Amino acid sequence: MSPRKIIIDTDPGQDDAVAILLALASPEDVEVLGITAVAGNVPLALTQRNARIVCALAGRTGVPVFAGCDAPLERSLVTAEHVHGKTGLDGVPVDEPDMPLMERHGVDFIIETLRAEPEGSVTLCPIGPLTNIAAAFRRAPDIVERVGEIVLMGGAYFEVGNITPAAEFNIYVDPEAAAEVFGAGVPLTVMPLDVTHKALTSKEIVEGFAAMGTEVGRAVAAWTDFFERFDMAKYGSAGAPLHDPCTIAYLIEPGLFSGRHINVEIETGSELTRGMTVADWWGVTDRPKNATFMGSVDRDGYFRLIHERLARL
Ligand code: BDR
Ligand code: CA
């Protein structure tokens, strides 16, 4: 089978960085048509720069990186430096990458790519707030039916929230965008906290990255180690959730994950529960099923895959 064509929409972020590396290391499974940056973990000026840093680290300076939206559709930006550090990629020293930013706006790239590629052949992988995707759908409704699938990291049901008691960060930051994407009618696969909180790193996993003896291995070890401190303190767990690579791992080895095809709605009205993913896991409503909402992951298989693939870089 030929590799799946994907666009990664991202707000790097250490875990975004690992997701990008996993995709770039897996050309037999995914062809990265481009990377669109969005404001999220840190402001856009940093996320677009960080996306280029990651491509340069992988030796893939030919991958086009675009800057997209610098703020949510209808709200002020909320960032997460408390998790990711000031740069978004704290853990390793970051310099201006030796790789250009494309001139085109990220939203234009998404629209033009979906129009140019055969219908149904492009998968979108959003691993940040859904602003760019919703902005593209608003501006060019004709592209919606051209999307093959959306595989995103966001939301939670059993785990409820990480940025507020009720909401996961990516959905919380731009709930209006999320509501539009979840309501668009595109085949949707969701990696919520219910899954990613089972994808916990450990001391051994971090040491395994470092032991690769490569620049990528050292960077990923430093990033996951940095990221761990916050989550371990918060949850009291032995490791930290490596959220975003779940999307790419799913595209490579879907059997690692299991979930349910259900209805998921996004709360936009209430300030208290803003960005909550109201997931009908138990099938108690007749609302139409719009998402495959994952619930578990084979953790050993997940980290085996990431280690194997990153060792190639
Ligand atoms: C999500 O929020 C960000 O902090 C991470 O990069 C991930 O995409 C987890 O809630
Ligand atoms: Ca992210």
Side-chain angles (χ1 to χ4, degrees):
M1 226 171 61
S2 51
R4 237 211 251 209
K5 295 179 184 185
I6 67 170
I7 296 174
I8 302 177
D9 187 68
T10 176
D11 62 338
Q14 293 89 347
D15 60 322
D16 301 72
V18 179
I20 294 169
L21 291 171
L22 179 61
L24 296 180
S26 307
E28 70 272 51
D29 298 299
V30 290
E31 178 188 351
V32 182
L33 300 178
I35 297 177
T36 50
V38 67
N41 286 323
V42 286
L44 182 68
L46 296 179
T47 58
Q48 59 85 356
R49 181 201 64 174
N50 292 350
R52 289 181 292 129
I53 287 174
V54 177
C55 292
L57 174 69
R60 295 286 302 279
T61 50
V63 175
V65 174
F66 304 83
C69 299
D70 63 1
L73 296 180
E74 295 168 24
R75 302 186 188 240
S76 313
L77 179 63
V78 175
T79 53
E81 284 89 354
H82 61 292
V83 183
H84 300 273
K86 233 178 142 111
T87 65
L89 287 184
D90 277 23
V92 296
V94 285
D95 293 319
E96 193 51 34
D98 192 13
M99 179 184 156
L101 177 68
M102 304 306 284
E103 274 178 19
R104 237 187 311 167
H105 193 281
V107 171
D108 292 330
F109 171 74
I110 293 170
I111 293 171
E112 286 160 24
T113 304
L114 282 162
R115 285 180 177 158
E117 295 290 339
E119 185 170 334
S121 69
V122 176
T123 297
L124 302 177
C125 294
I127 51 178
L130 288 158
T131 319
N132 285 342
I133 310 298
F137 286 1
R138 275 188 182 185
R139 201 180 308 159
D142 59 291
I143 64 168
V144 175
E145 62 182 26
R146 302 188 65 80
V147 179
E149 186 179 357
I150 296 177
V151 180
L152 67 85
M153 191 278 136
Y157 178 62
F158 294 99
E159 290 287 313
V160 197
N162 59 358
I163 185 76
T164 73
E168 181 280 329
F169 179 78
N170 289 341
I171 307 297
Y172 175 81
V173 172
D174 199 341
E176 284 74 21
E180 290 189 27
V181 171
F182 276 71
V186 174
L188 189 59
T189 298
V190 180
M191 295 293 168
L193 297 180
D194 307 328
V195 170
T196 67
H197 280 182
K198 293 176 182 133
L200 294 179
T201 57
S202 66
K203 198 164 162 281
E204 292 69 35
I205 289 168
V206 174
E207 284 170 359
F209 291 136
M212 283 175 187
T214 60
E215 216 188 319
V216 166
R218 279 187 293 275
V220 170
W223 281 331
T224 44
D225 187 44
F226 179 87
F227 202 43
E228 272 195 348
R229 287 175 216 162
F230 172 80
D231 282 292
M232 285 162 73
K234 180 174 171 192
Y235 296 112
S237 53
L242 197 55
H243 307 280
D244 292 340
C246 286
T247 55
I248 307 296
Y250 172 77
L251 295 177
I252 299 172
E253 219 176 305
L256 291 173
F257 300 89
S258 61
R260 294 184 181 182
H261 191 60
I262 59 171
N263 173 269
V264 182
E265 304 290 334
I266 311 294
E267 176 59 56
T268 56
S270 153
E271 268 314 301
L272 185 63
T273 55
R274 157 185 171 180
M276 187 171 195
T277 42
V278 181
D280 190 6
W281 183 262
W282 300 111
V284 294
T285 74
D286 292 330
R287 292 197 282 257
K289 297 178 178 177
N290 59 343
T292 300
F293 201 79
M294 292 301 179
S296 59
V297 56
D298 166 0
R299 174 177 178 246
D300 291 346
Y302 176 64
F303 283 105
R304 175 202 29 83
L305 177 70
I306 293 175
H307 185 102
E308 245 172 53
R309 295 295 169 100
L310 297 194
R312 296 170 166 184
L313 294 173

mmCIF file of all heavy atoms in Angstrom, residues 15-16 41 84 127 153 162 168-170 243-244, ligand 1:
data_model
loop_
_atom_site.group_PDB
_atom_site.id
_atom_site.type_symbol
_atom_site.label_atom_id
_atom_site.label_comp_id
_atom_site.label_asym_id
_atom_site.label_seq_id
_atom_site.Cartn_x
_atom_site.Cartn_y
_atom_site.Cartn_z
ATOM 1 N N ASP A 15 5.783 17.049 22.903
ATOM 2 C CA ASP A 15 5.126 15.821 22.409
ATOM 3 C C ASP A 15 4.736 15.968 20.944
ATOM 4 O O ASP A 15 4.777 15.001 20.181
ATOM 5 C CB ASP A 15 3.923 15.425 23.285
ATOM 6 C CG ASP A 15 2.838 16.481 23.339
ATOM 7 O OD1 ASP A 15 3.146 17.684 23.368
ATOM 8 O OD2 ASP A 15 1.649 16.103 23.368
ATOM 9 N N ASP A 16 4.426 17.193 20.518
ATOM 10 C CA ASP A 16 4.233 17.443 19.083
ATOM 11 C C ASP A 16 5.514 17.105 18.326
ATOM 12 O O ASP A 16 5.476 16.528 17.232
ATOM 13 C CB ASP A 16 3.912 18.914 18.796
ATOM 14 C CG ASP A 16 2.671 19.429 19.496
ATOM 15 O OD1 ASP A 16 2.710 19.612 20.721
ATOM 16 O OD2 ASP A 16 1.667 19.656 18.806
ATOM 17 N N ASN A 41 0.305 25.756 22.518
ATOM 18 C CA ASN A 41 1.192 25.612 23.680
ATOM 19 C C ASN A 41 1.976 26.887 23.938
ATOM 20 O O ASN A 41 2.206 27.277 25.085
ATOM 21 C CB ASN A 41 2.177 24.463 23.452
ATOM 22 C CG ASN A 41 1.511 23.106 23.572
ATOM 23 O OD1 ASN A 41 0.636 22.918 24.408
ATOM 24 N ND2 ASN A 41 1.928 22.163 22.743
ATOM 25 N N HIS A 84 5.208 23.296 28.979
ATOM 26 C CA HIS A 84 6.209 23.098 27.916
ATOM 27 C C HIS A 84 7.427 24.016 28.036
ATOM 28 O O HIS A 84 8.363 23.887 27.255
ATOM 29 C CB HIS A 84 5.547 23.297 26.547
ATOM 30 C CG HIS A 84 4.422 22.345 26.300
ATOM 31 N ND1 HIS A 84 4.620 21.094 25.761
ATOM 32 C CD2 HIS A 84 3.097 22.425 26.568
ATOM 33 C CE1 HIS A 84 3.462 20.455 25.679
ATOM 34 N NE2 HIS A 84 2.515 21.250 26.170
ATOM 35 N N ILE A 127 -2.776 18.229 16.037
ATOM 36 C CA ILE A 127 -2.304 17.884 17.383
ATOM 37 C C ILE A 127 -2.153 19.144 18.244
ATOM 38 O O ILE A 127 -1.349 19.186 19.170
ATOM 39 C CB ILE A 127 -1.004 17.040 17.325
ATOM 40 C CG1 ILE A 127 0.064 17.695 16.445
ATOM 41 C CG2 ILE A 127 -1.315 15.636 16.825
ATOM 42 C CD1 ILE A 127 1.391 16.925 16.398
ATOM 43 N N MET A 153 -5.489 14.648 18.205
ATOM 44 C CA MET A 153 -5.330 14.511 19.655
ATOM 45 C C MET A 153 -6.136 15.623 20.299
ATOM 46 O O MET A 153 -5.922 16.809 20.010
ATOM 47 C CB MET A 153 -3.847 14.658 20.053
ATOM 48 C CG MET A 153 -3.562 14.274 21.516
ATOM 49 S SD MET A 153 -3.940 15.585 22.672
ATOM 50 C CE MET A 153 -4.782 14.701 23.981
ATOM 51 N N ASN A 162 -7.453 18.470 31.608
ATOM 52 C CA ASN A 162 -6.110 18.748 32.126
ATOM 53 C C ASN A 162 -5.831 20.240 32.267
ATOM 54 O O ASN A 162 -5.044 20.650 33.100
ATOM 55 C CB ASN A 162 -5.014 18.046 31.286
ATOM 56 C CG ASN A 162 -5.008 18.463 29.827
ATOM 57 O OD1 ASN A 162 -5.834 19.250 29.381
ATOM 58 N ND2 ASN A 162 -4.063 17.919 29.074
ATOM 59 N N GLU A 168 -9.843 19.313 28.111
ATOM 60 C CA GLU A 168 -8.470 19.052 27.640
ATOM 61 C C GLU A 168 -7.983 20.302 26.903
ATOM 62 O O GLU A 168 -8.775 21.003 26.253
ATOM 63 C CB GLU A 168 -8.501 17.809 26.730
ATOM 64 C CG GLU A 168 -7.167 17.376 26.162
ATOM 65 C CD GLU A 168 -6.739 18.186 24.964
ATOM 66 O OE1 GLU A 168 -7.644 18.638 24.226
ATOM 67 O OE2 GLU A 168 -5.527 18.387 24.772
ATOM 68 N N PHE A 169 -6.683 20.536 26.936
ATOM 69 C CA PHE A 169 -6.105 21.788 26.446
ATOM 70 C C PHE A 169 -6.478 22.123 24.985
ATOM 71 O O PHE A 169 -6.942 23.233 24.699
ATOM 72 C CB PHE A 169 -4.569 21.748 26.596
ATOM 73 C CG PHE A 169 -3.879 22.983 26.095
ATOM 74 C CD1 PHE A 169 -3.866 24.154 26.849
ATOM 75 C CD2 PHE A 169 -3.242 22.996 24.858
ATOM 76 C CE1 PHE A 169 -3.240 25.298 26.390
ATOM 77 C CE2 PHE A 169 -2.605 24.133 24.392
ATOM 78 C CZ PHE A 169 -2.606 25.291 25.162
ATOM 79 N N ASN A 170 -6.233 21.206 24.041
ATOM 80 C CA ASN A 170 -6.416 21.547 22.620
ATOM 81 C C ASN A 170 -7.848 21.984 22.315
ATOM 82 O O ASN A 170 -8.081 22.882 21.504
ATOM 83 C CB ASN A 170 -6.059 20.355 21.718
ATOM 84 C CG ASN A 170 -4.574 20.074 21.693
ATOM 85 O OD1 ASN A 170 -3.766 20.931 22.039
ATOM 86 N ND2 ASN A 170 -4.205 18.870 21.292
ATOM 87 N N HIS A 243 1.360 12.509 24.532
ATOM 88 C CA HIS A 243 0.047 12.611 23.883
ATOM 89 C C HIS A 243 0.070 12.492 22.352
ATOM 90 O O HIS A 243 -0.542 11.608 21.762
ATOM 91 C CB HIS A 243 -0.591 13.977 24.182
ATOM 92 C CG HIS A 243 -0.692 14.356 25.618
ATOM 93 N ND1 HIS A 243 -1.678 13.886 26.446
ATOM 94 C CD2 HIS A 243 0.051 15.200 26.380
ATOM 95 C CE1 HIS A 243 -1.544 14.426 27.658
ATOM 96 N NE2 HIS A 243 -0.501 15.221 27.643
ATOM 97 N N ASP A 244 0.716 13.467 21.726
ATOM 98 C CA ASP A 244 0.477 13.679 20.293
ATOM 99 C C ASP A 244 0.943 12.561 19.357
ATOM 100 O O ASP A 244 0.300 12.328 18.320
ATOM 101 C CB ASP A 244 1.105 15.019 19.866
ATOM 102 C CG ASP A 244 0.379 16.203 20.479
ATOM 103 O OD1 ASP A 244 -0.786 16.033 20.889
ATOM 104 O OD2 ASP A 244 0.964 17.306 20.536
HETATM 105 C C1 BDR B 1 -2.285 18.434 24.354
HETATM 106 O O1 BDR B 1 -2.017 19.746 24.794
HETATM 107 C C2 BDR B 1 -0.681 20.096 24.548
HETATM 108 O O2 BDR B 1 -0.120 20.650 25.688
HETATM 109 C C3 BDR B 1 0.014 18.840 24.067
HETATM 110 O O3 BDR B 1 0.948 19.173 23.049
HETATM 111 C C4 BDR B 1 -1.103 17.995 23.516
HETATM 112 O O4 BDR B 1 -1.361 18.287 22.162
HETATM 113 C C5 BDR B 1 -2.553 17.565 25.572
HETATM 114 O O5 BDR B 1 -3.635 18.051 26.283
#
